[in-house]
Amino acid sequence: MESAWETRPQVASEAPASKRVREGSKSERRRWWRKARAKASRLLQRMDLRTMTQSLVTLAEDNMAFFSSQGPGEMARRLTGVFVGIREQALGLEPALGRLLSVAHLFDLDTETPANGYRSLVHTARCCLAHLLHKSRYVASNRRSIFFRTSHNLAELEAYLAALTQLRALAYYAQHLLTTNQPGRLFFEGDERVIADFLQEYVTLHKGCFYGRCLGFQFTPAIRPFLQTISIGLVSFGEHYKRNETGIGVTASSLFTGGRFAIDPELRGAEFERIIQNLDVHFWKAFWNITEIQVLSSLANMASTTVRVSRLLSLPPVAFEMPLTSDPELTVTISPPLAHTGPGPVLVRLISYDLREGQNSKELSSFVTSEGPRSLELRLRPQQAPRSRALVVHIHGGGFVAQTSKSHEPYLKSWAQELGVPILSIDYSLAPEAPFPRALEECFYAYCWAVKHCALLGSTGERICLAGDSAGGNLCFTVSLRAAAYGVRVPDGIMAAYPATMLQSTASPSRLLSLMDPLLPLSVLSKCVSAYAGAETEDHSDSDQKALGVMGLVQRDTALLLRDLRLGASSWLNSFLELGGQKSHLKSVPKTEPMRRSVSEAALTQPEGPLGTNSLKSLKLHDLGLRNSSDTTDTPELSLSAEILSSSAPSTVNFLLGSEDESEVSEAPEELNSKDRLRGVGSAFPEGFHPRRCSQGAMWMPLYSAPIVKNPFMSPLLAPDSMLQTLPPVHIVACALDPMLDDSVMRGPPPQS
């Protein structure tokens, strides 16, 4: 009996050990299977890519042989040329994509999250190849039919060939980043002059092809109509920007003149490219703030969840004390925002699905401010719900320059209902009128006020979470870092949706996708960051508008409306009556008010290259500048851009240098070194490959390389580990095709070795 009792504890002690061994072996097997599955997936994707390319090349050669035997007709010659180009670009792109795909897994966040810019770039290129494969099969099957629409299919093939050419350039740029970056790093870290040259070379690439017929090809088909609506609205809005029209005038003018952008995708793409190249941050601020219009916001609120509390509060600029987390008996003073504009109130919006204790108190009512004609949605109940244990502090996005909590209110109401917690959304001051660190100061002040007065907001404050999207995600991180630096309570968690955590001038694989992103092109991102850094100037209102008065505005808007109606009607008629693009829009428009021709129409009037494609598209900006200097056509964009660049800062690269300018530049060693570095960037392309260049002229892109962007409270990704360790648990929601994807990936654990 004694021996039996003595052996029982030994058996019991061995059981957990054997269990741990079995669990360890299971976890090892799971890891091995995950690695094997990932390796098999990479191999399958590469085989799929090779098979897709071979099928496309075979179809292209078959279509080439067919159309080349159809005689010397114009359409047959152009179709032959476009399939020659498809074959050439597909064969050149496939090896580059294969090399990127072979190393993309090394940059994943973890084995369960296969996402980074290299994967996104390969996916985008495969979508373009798949569309060309589908279109090539359609052409091969229907080319003999009498119902075969030659012009339509040719235009679509030419558009996607241009997109494929630009994607091949992006793949070479990604390879260049892969060889120059430090191992395991997605962002370039090195000589700032090299990255400046890289970015300035990158922004000269042609972009219009991605905003015409190819708009949103990389996304699911269900979202393409939405993107087309946004792009048509944007280019229509851009036509009437800064005409000093009233809201009715802009809406009516856009309605009558925007029809041609829906009919002519190439014209829409060219106009979109012009807007992102030339218009300043104030245009994007005005366009993004369309959702703040009273009519639109009212309609959105009517369709959103009904809440009991929706109150706009104004927090007075009064300093208060906050206890330290290390020693609650000690306090620290939280000063009101002071940067740039001095002390001022901070606006916040309180949203709660239920009326909770404290939310109808006299103390909270003293902070309520008027929102104009929009009444408060506060409906008192006989019984109040108890205070929630949690509180969400929300910081909206908008590139630091646009939007308020009003445009984000519909989904915040849904959050308040689903989570059962009150939400406090902060309306921080916007750039360029209030650059960094004004927004950070206001968000930090509002966060501390919410922690101190959470009882008034209907919460016990047991758990406080920060939530934000895009620029708001950036501010969520920086507010938490500042709270840790002050020694006050840090939020219990952060939910950041596609946050911008790296505002320094740099490049990454995902940011290469900004060349085709319909919502956040690289030039727009640079302008927003430049405004937030304080490099953009404020927009001054036109004094002439004030001098006109109300009747003058009405008369002027009426005249502009009639003019735009005339131009719009003639454009619609020409679009329907023209056959094969043989006629020019300029014939029906007075010479004093020229209208832009579509890209497809302009291509017909230009000499073609040996492959049947427009030779103008393959020229570099240097050649375009020389050609336009000798032509008699009226194209002021190129010369204007050249003048702007020549008078800009020395670090700016000018891609429109003529022969005289080159002799002057050769005398300056710094500029010569810049050109040498640029050749190194251009050497990423193989011999004989020339991507299409922007026809809108060289754009001056602010490189926001000032020391302020390296501040960890502006670019939290650059914060040292000692600061990042103070952050609470972070939940990041990222989009696979978002240019900011690498910001989220690099924010997580270090990539695999």
Side-chain angles (χ1 to χ4, degrees):
M1 293 293 295
E2 292 181 0
S3 61
W5 283 105
E6 290 175 357
T7 57
R8 286 179 183 175
Q10 184 177 1
V11 174
S13 62
E14 290 178 355
S18 61
K19 186 177 181 181
R20 286 194 299 269
V21 171
R22 287 196 302 271
E23 291 178 352
S25 61
K26 288 181 180 179
S27 62
E28 287 292 336
R29 286 197 298 269
R30 283 196 296 268
R31 282 195 294 269
W32 184 86
W33 277 112
R34 281 198 297 266
K35 292 181 179 179
R37 187 169 63 248
K39 185 176 181 180
S41 176
R42 292 194 300 272
L43 182 61
L44 182 62
Q45 289 178 358
R46 190 161 186 177
M47 291 176 60
D48 184 36
L49 179 64
R50 185 176 294 110
T51 303
M52 182 186 300
T53 303
Q54 291 175 351
S55 300
L56 179 59
V57 169
T58 302
L59 284 169
E61 292 175 345
D62 178 63
N63 286 318
M64 286 163 47
F66 174 81
F67 288 110
S68 62
S69 63
Q70 298 302 306
E74 174 69 16
M75 288 298 180
R77 185 172 61 86
R78 291 177 62 183
L79 282 168
T80 302
V82 76
F83 281 110
V84 169
I86 290 174
R87 178 183 180 278
E88 177 186 353
Q89 300 304 330
L91 290 175
L93 180 61
E94 191 270 333
L97 295 181
R99 285 190 287 271
L100 294 179
L101 193 60
S102 64
V103 298
H105 67 284
L106 300 176
F107 299 89
D108 290 337
L109 183 67
D110 52 45
T111 55
E112 301 295 331
T113 314
N116 59 70
Y118 292 114
R119 288 185 181 273
S120 301
L121 185 57
V122 173
H123 168 80
T124 303
R126 288 181 60 185
C127 288
C128 188
L129 289 171
H131 189 92
L132 281 171
L133 180 62
H134 171 75
K135 179 56 64 175
S136 299
R137 285 173 177 167
Y138 174 83
V139 172
S141 302
N142 299 274
R143 60 198 179 192
R144 299 180 183 274
S145 172
I146 60 174
F147 300 104
F148 180 70
R149 296 188 297 169
T150 306
S151 299
H152 170 77
N153 289 283
L154 174 62
E156 190 164 354
L157 286 169
E158 288 179 338
Y160 276 91
L161 173 59
L164 190 68
T165 303
Q166 302 307 88
L167 286 170
R168 184 181 174 188
L170 295 186
Y172 290 140
Y173 279 139
Q175 283 186 329
H176 184 69
L177 288 175
L178 191 63
T179 56
T180 56
N181 286 358
Q182 297 181 5
R185 305 294 296 179
L186 288 171
F187 287 97
F188 179 84
E189 298 175 358
D191 189 355
E192 292 185 359
R193 295 176 299 174
V194 176
I195 193 60
D197 296 336
F198 180 87
L199 292 176
Q200 290 289 4
E201 167 76 5
Y202 167 76
V203 297
T204 63
L205 291 177
H206 171 64
K207 312 167 189 64
C209 60
F210 294 111
Y211 303 112
R213 296 180 185 272
C214 304
L215 179 68
F217 72 92
Q218 69 272 35
F219 299 105
T220 177
I223 201 176
R224 293 193 66 180
F226 169 76
L227 295 177
Q228 290 174 356
T229 303
I230 293 294
S231 64
I232 292 173
L234 187 144
V235 296
S236 301
F237 187 86
E239 270 203 326
H240 307 284
Y241 177 62
K242 280 192 173 180
R243 287 188 182 179
N244 294 327
E245 299 180 14
T246 61
I248 297 178
V250 172
T251 304
S253 301
S254 301
L255 177 64
F256 286 108
T257 62
R260 65 182 187 276
F261 297 122
I263 296 176
D264 192 341
E266 283 78 17
L267 178 62
R268 182 177 70 234
E271 185 69 8
F272 199 106
E273 184 175 20
R274 181 192 70 84
I275 288 175
I276 64 176
Q277 289 283 101
N278 301 319
L279 295 187
D280 57 12
V281 70
H282 303 288
F283 165 78
W284 296 97
K285 185 170 186 173
F287 179 72
W288 289 338
N289 280 334
I290 290 179
T291 56
E292 305 288 332
I293 297 176
Q294 184 66 36
V295 176
L296 296 180
S297 61
S298 299
L299 291 175
N301 281 304
M302 290 174 59
S304 60
T305 304
T306 301
V307 296
R308 299 298 178 183
V309 180
S310 178
R311 322 181 74 172
L312 186 65
L313 311 179
S314 178
L315 309 182
V318 179
F320 56 88
E321 302 293 322
M322 286 279 291
L324 297 177
T325 54
S326 58
D327 188 356
E329 295 182 358
L330 300 178
T331 60
V332 62
T333 302
I334 306 299
S335 301
L338 299 173
H340 301 293
T341 58
V346 180
L347 297 180
V348 295
R349 185 181 300 274
L350 175 62
I351 299 174
S352 180
Y353 182 73
D354 295 308
L355 177 64
R356 300 183 179 274
E357 295 179 5
Q359 292 178 346
N360 63 340
S361 62
K362 293 183 179 180
E363 185 177 359
L364 184 65
S365 299
S366 64
F367 297 107
V368 175
T369 185
S370 174
E371 286 191 82
R374 186 164 176 264
S375 59
L376 299 176
E377 299 180 15
L378 176 61
R379 305 175 185 178
L380 297 179
R381 284 182 173 181
Q383 292 183 349
Q384 299 179 12
R387 290 186 173 91
S388 172
R389 298 177 55 188
L391 174 68
V392 174
V393 179
H394 172 261
I395 306 176
H396 67 81
F400 303 103
V401 301
Q403 299 191 342
T404 65
S405 62
K406 182 187 294 185
S407 55
H408 294 252
E409 190 176 4
Y411 71 82
L412 291 179
K413 290 180 177 180
S414 300
W415 285 9
Q417 178 186 17
E418 296 170 0
L419 299 176
V421 300
I423 299 176
L424 189 73
S425 185
I426 305 173
D427 282 334
Y428 54 89
S429 298
L430 302 173
E433 294 80 10
F436 177 84
R438 182 72 186 194
L440 173 59
E441 290 183 355
E442 292 183 354
C443 292
F444 176 69
Y445 180 83
Y447 164 76
C448 292
W449 186 92
V451 173
K452 186 176 180 66
H453 300 87
C454 57
L456 298 178
L457 304 177
S459 173
T460 61
E462 296 181 33
R463 296 189 64 82
I464 298 179
C465 176
L466 283 175
D469 63 292
S470 189
N474 175 287
L475 290 170
C476 286
F477 287 120
T478 54
V479 165
S480 182
L481 292 175
R482 186 159 185 166
Y486 268 70
V488 299
R489 176 179 175 178
V490 175
D492 298 284
I494 295 177
M495 195 289 293
Y498 40 92
T501 60
M502 170 69 83
L503 302 187
Q504 186 181 6
S505 173
T506 187
S508 75
S510 69
R511 295 196 179 187
L512 293 177
L513 297 175
S514 62
L515 185 76
M516 68 195 76
D517 191 85
L519 301 178
L520 191 62
L522 179 64
S523 57
V524 180
L525 172 64
S526 66
K527 292 169 185 174
C528 292
V529 175
S530 179
Y532 186 51
E536 290 283 343
T537 58
E538 298 183 12
D539 191 19
H540 302 285
S541 59
D542 191 358
S543 58
D544 294 338
Q545 181 175 357
K546 299 179 182 179
L548 284 175
V550 177
M551 294 305 299
L553 288 173
V554 173
Q555 294 177 0
R556 186 201 57 204
D557 284 349
T558 303
L560 291 174
L561 176 60
L562 293 176
R563 183 202 62 186
D564 290 336
L565 176 61
R566 173 171 52 84
L567 295 179
S570 62
S571 177
W572 273 77
L573 291 174
N574 281 329
S575 300
F576 282 113
L577 296 178
E578 288 178 3
L579 298 176
Q582 297 295 327
K583 299 181 181 180
S584 171
H585 291 287
L586 295 176
K587 294 182 180 180
S588 61
V589 183
K591 189 174 181 180
T592 56
E593 295 175 357
M595 295 181 63
R596 298 182 183 86
R597 296 182 299 169
S598 67
V599 175
S600 57
E601 180 188 353
L604 293 176
T605 61
Q606 297 292 340
E608 298 184 356
L611 298 181
T613 57
N614 183 10
S615 61
L616 179 62
K617 297 179 181 179
S618 63
L619 290 177
K620 295 185 178 180
L621 288 175
H622 170 73
D623 301 323
L624 288 174
L626 295 179
R627 167 173 290 197
N628 280 272
S629 63
S630 59
D631 289 345
T632 58
T633 55
D634 185 15
T635 54
E637 290 88 352
L638 290 174
S639 60
L640 177 60
S641 301
E643 291 174 5
I644 294 175
L645 283 175
S646 62
S647 60
S648 59
S651 60
T652 305
V653 181
N654 189 347
F655 293 95
L656 293 176
L657 298 176
S659 57
E660 297 180 0
D661 295 331
E662 289 177 359
S663 61
E664 296 177 0
V665 170
S666 62
E667 299 176 0
E670 293 183 0
E671 294 293 337
L672 184 59
N673 292 336
S674 178
K675 285 187 64 178
D676 291 339
R677 292 194 307 269
L678 188 58
R679 286 196 195 95
V681 175
S683 63
F685 300 147
E687 185 178 358
F689 173 72
H690 302 287
R692 303 188 179 190
R693 297 295 177 179
C694 177
S695 60
Q696 296 293 336
M699 181 201 68
W700 180 81
M701 185 183 71
L703 294 176
Y704 45 96
S705 58
I708 190 66
V709 298
K710 300 179 183 179
N711 189 320
F713 291 104
M714 190 172 182
S715 297
L717 192 61
L718 300 178
D721 293 340
S722 58
M723 292 181 63
L724 295 177
Q725 290 173 357
T726 64
L727 290 174
V730 176
H731 183 79
I732 297 178
V733 180
C735 302
L737 299 179
D738 182 27
M740 298 289 104
L741 173 63
D742 290 337
D743 294 49
S744 301
V745 174
M746 293 303 296
R747 170 59 189 86
Q752 308 170 36
S753 59

